[in-house]
Amino acid sequence: MINLIWACMAIIGIVFAMFNGKMEEVNKAIFESAGEAVTLSIGLISILVFWLGIMKIAENAGLLLVLTKLFRPIVVRLFPEIPKDHPAIGYILSNITANLFGLGNAATPIGIKAMEQMKQLSGTDTASRSMITFLALNTSGLTIVPTTVIAIRMQYHSVSPTEIVGTTIMTTCISTLSAIFIDRFYYYKSTWRK
């Protein structure tokens, strides 16, 4: 559906430019934007590779294992219907850890695996309580180091590209706690109706 909306917006913009004699400006903007997109992508790839390397070093040093042990009690309480030794818990913990380091692209396949495991556990095509909670956590923007935003700020020569880390941590705490609260509120509200 989103692809259809973007396609319609592009077509309407081009048709509008044709009727107003602005087609030359549209062509110029298309080529300039394409060049800028390639430059931005290369910058983002380099930062992503750097942070993936840092995460690999953290994994080899045992930091990820420490974070996993630290978050396991919280995750087990957030997902009470998943058995403690189920593979879904491991995928959820890996996803949360990757997201904390701002590696959303690396966390996505892990998150999909976690959803697949939770779907197998529930045995239905309907979203389970665990799946909804996991989606709420991921949607809340669980990040401590926003690598993509830092990369974009560096790409555009920000004086201090990392100054947003403090704000990001505060925002992450508020959004994650809000997501958990809203998730639990609607879960308990639905159980009260039954």
Side-chain angles (χ1 to χ4, degrees):
M1 183 67 183
I2 292 177
N3 291 340
L4 184 63
I5 292 170
W6 280 108
C8 287
M9 288 174 55
I11 291 168
I12 290 169
I14 290 171
V15 169
F16 184 79
M18 286 171 44
F19 283 118
N20 288 324
K22 305 274 185 180
M23 204 57 200
E24 186 175 321
E25 291 175 23
V26 170
N27 287 335
K28 182 180 175 188
I30 287 172
F31 289 113
E32 285 177 1
S33 298
E36 192 172 319
V38 169
T39 304
L40 184 62
S41 297
I42 291 171
L44 289 176
I45 289 170
S46 63
I47 294 295
L48 184 62
V49 167
F50 169 76
W51 280 105
L52 284 171
I54 293 291
M55 192 160 174
K56 190 67 177 171
I57 292 169
E59 181 183 353
N60 291 341
L63 180 63
L64 295 185
L65 188 61
V66 170
L67 285 173
T68 301
K69 286 181 181 178
L70 180 73
F71 290 123
R72 183 173 280 282
I74 298 168
V75 168
V76 168
R77 286 183 182 257
L78 283 174
F79 302 94
E81 59 279 347
I82 300 176
K84 292 180 183 180
D85 59 343
H86 196 273
I89 294 289
Y91 286 123
I92 290 168
L93 286 165
S94 297
N95 177 273
I96 288 171
T97 305
N99 276 323
L100 284 176
F101 286 108
L103 303 172
N105 294 334
T108 300
I110 301 168
I112 291 170
K113 284 285 195 186
M115 282 292 204
E116 288 172 355
Q117 291 292 322
M118 287 185 276
K119 182 179 177 183
Q120 287 176 2
L121 195 61
S122 71
T124 65
D125 287 336
T126 307
S128 66
R129 175 184 175 193
S130 297
M131 294 169 85
I132 294 168
T133 302
F134 184 65
L135 185 63
L137 277 176
N138 272 289
T139 307
S140 72
L142 190 64
T143 303
I144 290 177
V145 183
T147 55
T148 305
V149 178
I150 291 171
I152 291 170
R153 290 172 58 93
M154 288 173 68
Q155 192 78 24
Y156 287 102
H157 310 292
S158 172
V159 175
S160 181
T162 58
E163 72 182 351
I164 60 165
V165 173
T167 307
T168 302
I169 292 171
M170 186 174 64
T171 305
T172 291
C173 291
I174 293 169
S175 65
T176 302
L177 291 174
S178 299
I180 293 169
F181 174 75
I182 292 168
D183 172 62
R184 290 301 186 247
F185 173 77
Y186 281 105
Y187 171 72
Y188 289 122
K189 185 177 177 183
S190 69
T191 58
W192 293 331
R193 289 183 182 171
K194 293 180 182 178

